[in-house]
């Protein structure tokens, strides 16, 4: 175990790559498809990467292209990817906290409520128990609903419920329906469990465990937990209101729904749009003003050390506090009565700007590779791939192999990038015994 923990920053990317290649090999086999023919390498690689990175983006009609074996493999890869993200993040946090020096170790310990190395097995067991317990509850509720309200046979109801529950909790977006979950957009017994499962999976175990442990004393939460919990709540509420206003009269999305249906579909879609990836309404039919909303939500993503992608909620709101402090002329950035370390501010800025650069570069390449594609559509799909969301306007399915390889790379980078980058920055932190003279260049 000690040898395994020494190089987690290198281990995690190679672990994901091995799982992707293994899944690619299996999905290429003829007995994984409904037409019983070999799957092209690029299609199998794209699908395996999408599953392991818990993205859910597809270049074919998932329920009709893959047979039961192929769908089972996608489910297994998604579950392994989700567990790998959580456990990999746990190991990285544990190791990074022990290589920062005593002072920084105490800061990390306070911020993440992490456990000792001797508790690694107990911590990983608790993570796994949380994952499977949440998925089991979601599966039970949805399976009963499918059986009673839609007449599904018990076996089929259990399979459909299990598949979508795993996809939702792991913030992936593969669906067993060609139109996603549009058919359940006004059914609270199906839509709400999936939305709540995606929210829980997207919080991250540090924030989730501390919030549960200190549920009666939220004022005692660490900064990271406060930013994640309250930030996620803020994003969901604001996104919900914005989507309602934007799509209220759109007949192609929620315009024909009654008021309760509008509220349910909007809430579910916003909860799943951050990185969940399910279509509850037809994304391609959104009003133009709704596209920036979805792009921002996907880019921000979920919580750190979670199954969600994006730059993370804590990163986004930490930068918001930095801007607010600068506008007010404050000497320090404070959150909840605590001063945020300068190193954390630089790390957040680095992750955000590098992510912007990757998304912009990816969008330019997709536009160059595709004719007659709208800028918003290209930006939407590139952001969705990088943030491991899985929503698409249809651009991904229409790409030729070079474009599919690009989105595959973006999904992989988006999945392992923030974790490895953040860890590398933290491990690179060193203390100089001298400082250069200060100078203030002109800004703006």
């Amino acid at each position: 175990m000690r040898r395994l923990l020494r190089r987690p920053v290198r281990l995690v990317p190679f672990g994901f790559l091995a799982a992707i290649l293994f899944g690619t090999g299996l999905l290429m086999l003829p007995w994984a498809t409904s037409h019983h023919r070999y799957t092209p390498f690029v299609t199998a690689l794209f699908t395996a990467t999408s599953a392991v990175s818990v993205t859910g983006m597809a270049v074919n009609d998932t329920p009709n292209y893959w047979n039961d074996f192929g769908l089972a493999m996608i489910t297994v890869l998604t579950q392994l990817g989700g567990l790998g993200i959580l456990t990999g993040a746990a190991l990285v946090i544990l190791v990074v906290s022990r290589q920062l020096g005593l002072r920084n170790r105490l800061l990390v310990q306070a911020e993440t409520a992490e456990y000792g190395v001797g508790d690694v097995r107990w911590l990983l067991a608790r993570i796994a128990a949380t994952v499977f317990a949440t998925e089991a509850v979601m599966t039970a509720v949805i399976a009963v609903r499918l059986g009673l309200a839609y007449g599904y046979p018990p076996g089929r109801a259990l399979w459909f419920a299990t598949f979508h529950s795993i996809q939702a909790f792991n913030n992936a977006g593969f669906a067993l329906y060609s139109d996603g979950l549009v058919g359940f957009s006004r059914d609270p017994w199906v839509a709400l469990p999936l939305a709540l499962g995606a929210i829980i999976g997207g919080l991250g175990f540090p924030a989730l465990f501390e919030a549960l442990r200190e549920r009666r004393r939220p004022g005692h939460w660490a900064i990271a937990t406060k930013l994640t919990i309250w930030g996620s709540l803020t994003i969901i509420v604001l996104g919900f209101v914005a989507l309602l206003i934007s799509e209220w009269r759109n007949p192609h999305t929620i315009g024909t729904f009654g008021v309760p249906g509008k509220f349910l579909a909007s809430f579910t879609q916003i909860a799943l749009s951050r990185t969940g990836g399910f279509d509850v309404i037809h994304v391609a039919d959104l009003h133009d003003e709704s596209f920036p909303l979805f792009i921002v939500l996907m880019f921000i993503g979920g919580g750190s050390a979670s199954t969600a992608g994006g730059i993370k909620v804590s990163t986004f709101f930490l930068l918001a506090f930095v801007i607010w402090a600068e506008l007010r002329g404050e000497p320090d950035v404070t959150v909840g009565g605590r001063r945020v370390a300068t190193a954390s501010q630089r790390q957040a800025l680095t992750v955000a700007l590098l992510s912007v650069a990757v998304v912009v570069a990816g969008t330019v390449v997709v536009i160059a590779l595709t004719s007659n594609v709208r800028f918003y559509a290209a930006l939407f799909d590139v952001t969705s791939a990088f943030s491991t969301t899985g929503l698409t306007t249809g651009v991904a399915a229409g790409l030729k192999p070079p474009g599919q390889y690009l989105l595959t790379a973006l999904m992989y980078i988006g999945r392992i990038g923030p974790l490895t980058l953040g860890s590398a920055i933290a491990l690179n932190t060193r203390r100089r015994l001298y400082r250069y003279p200060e100078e203030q260049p002109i800004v703006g």
Side-chain angles (χ1 to χ4, degrees):
M1 179 63 73
R2 290 182 180 273
R3 289 184 179 181
L4 181 66
L5 293 175
R6 286 178 183 173
R7 299 286 182 181
V9 178
R10 296 180 182 177
L11 180 64
V12 171
F14 282 110
F16 276 99
L17 182 60
I20 289 171
L21 294 178
F22 176 73
T24 300
L26 291 177
L27 292 177
M28 289 180 66
L29 298 175
W31 55 76
T33 64
S34 57
H35 56 266
H36 303 295
R37 281 181 274 180
Y38 286 99
T39 299
F41 174 76
V42 61
T43 302
L45 177 65
F46 188 100
T47 305
T49 304
S50 184
V52 174
S53 65
V54 293
T55 303
M57 183 176 286
V59 292
N60 47 40
D61 187 2
T62 298
N64 292 319
Y65 187 89
W66 305 103
N67 60 15
D68 290 341
F69 175 80
L71 293 172
M73 280 307 308
I74 291 174
T75 305
V76 171
L77 291 174
T78 301
Q79 187 71 85
L80 289 177
L83 284 173
I85 293 162
L86 294 174
T87 56
L91 295 178
V92 168
I93 288 176
L94 288 171
V95 175
V96 168
S97 67
R98 277 157 181 76
Q99 297 184 15
L100 292 179
L102 178 60
R103 177 175 176 273
N104 288 327
R105 279 174 58 184
L106 293 175
L107 289 175
V108 173
Q109 188 174 29
E111 291 303 312
T112 62
E114 54 95 359
Y115 305 88
V117 171
D119 296 327
V120 169
R121 292 183 181 179
W122 182 86
L123 175 60
L124 299 184
R126 188 178 180 187
I127 292 173
T130 302
V131 172
F132 291 124
T134 306
E135 290 175 352
V137 173
M138 295 166 61
T139 298
V141 174
I142 296 173
V144 171
R145 180 62 174 175
L146 292 177
L148 296 179
Y150 298 91
Y152 282 40
R156 188 165 181 257
L158 182 62
W159 162 237
F160 274 59
T162 301
F163 183 92
H164 292 101
S165 295
I166 291 175
Q167 296 296 318
F169 182 85
N170 290 288
N171 278 257
F174 289 105
L176 295 179
Y177 305 92
S178 297
D179 60 350
L181 299 179
V182 174
F184 301 100
S185 58
R186 286 172 282 183
D187 188 339
W189 292 100
V190 176
L192 286 181
L194 294 177
L196 295 177
I199 291 173
I200 294 173
L203 289 177
F205 76 88
L208 180 62
F209 288 172
E210 185 179 17
L212 292 175
R213 187 177 60 251
E214 301 290 342
R215 57 187 177 278
R216 297 182 179 179
R217 301 188 301 172
H220 291 201
W221 290 351
I223 291 178
T225 302
K226 291 178 180 178
L227 290 175
T228 299
I229 300 296
W230 299 123
S232 297
L233 180 62
T234 300
I235 288 175
I236 290 174
V237 172
L238 293 180
F240 165 69
V241 173
L243 184 61
L244 269 180
I245 296 173
S246 176
E247 298 295 320
W248 187 270
R249 297 185 182 278
N250 186 348
H252 302 294
T253 55
I254 63 173
T256 59
F257 296 177
V259 173
K262 293 178 189 287
F263 277 72
L264 177 62
S266 297
F267 170 76
T268 305
Q269 188 63 76
I270 288 299
L272 295 172
S273 295
R274 295 170 60 213
T275 61
F278 284 121
D279 281 325
V280 178
I281 58 178
H282 293 292
V283 173
D285 294 328
L286 291 170
H287 281 153
D288 287 343
E289 58 267 28
S290 296
F291 280 102
L293 169 65
F294 278 70
I295 291 170
V296 170
L297 289 175
M298 293 189 297
F299 185 75
I300 295 173
S304 299
S306 73
T307 58
I311 65 171
K312 309 304 182 187
V313 175
S314 55
T315 301
F316 176 79
F317 279 96
L318 177 55
L319 291 176
F321 277 102
V322 171
I323 295 173
W324 179 245
E326 190 64 28
L327 291 176
R328 298 183 62 186
E330 297 286 346
D332 299 315
V333 178
T334 58
V335 179
R338 295 186 184 181
R339 181 167 52 89
V340 179
T342 303
S344 296
Q345 300 173 38
R346 294 205 310 262
Q347 291 166 15
L349 183 62
T350 301
V351 169
L353 290 181
L354 286 178
S355 298
V356 169
V358 171
V359 170
V360 170
T363 303
V364 171
V365 174
V366 167
I367 292 176
L369 294 175
T370 310
S371 59
N372 299 323
V373 60
R374 292 186 301 167
F375 168 74
Y376 266 141
L379 178 61
F380 188 100
D381 278 40
V382 168
T383 305
S384 179
F386 177 75
S387 64
T388 69
T389 302
L391 292 174
T392 177
T393 59
V395 172
L399 289 175
K400 295 181 179 180
Q404 294 180 17
Y405 282 122
L406 171 64
L407 292 187
T408 301
L410 287 173
M411 288 188 287
Y412 180 73
I413 294 171
R415 182 68 276 167
I416 58 95
L419 177 62
T420 54
L421 177 61
S423 304
I425 292 174
L427 290 174
N428 239 2
T429 302
R430 60 181 183 270
R431 188 175 181 181
R432 284 182 175 174
L433 299 179
Y434 62 91
R435 301 180 71 183
Y436 290 105
E438 183 180 274
E439 183 175 340
Q440 291 187 333
I442 298 175
V443 177

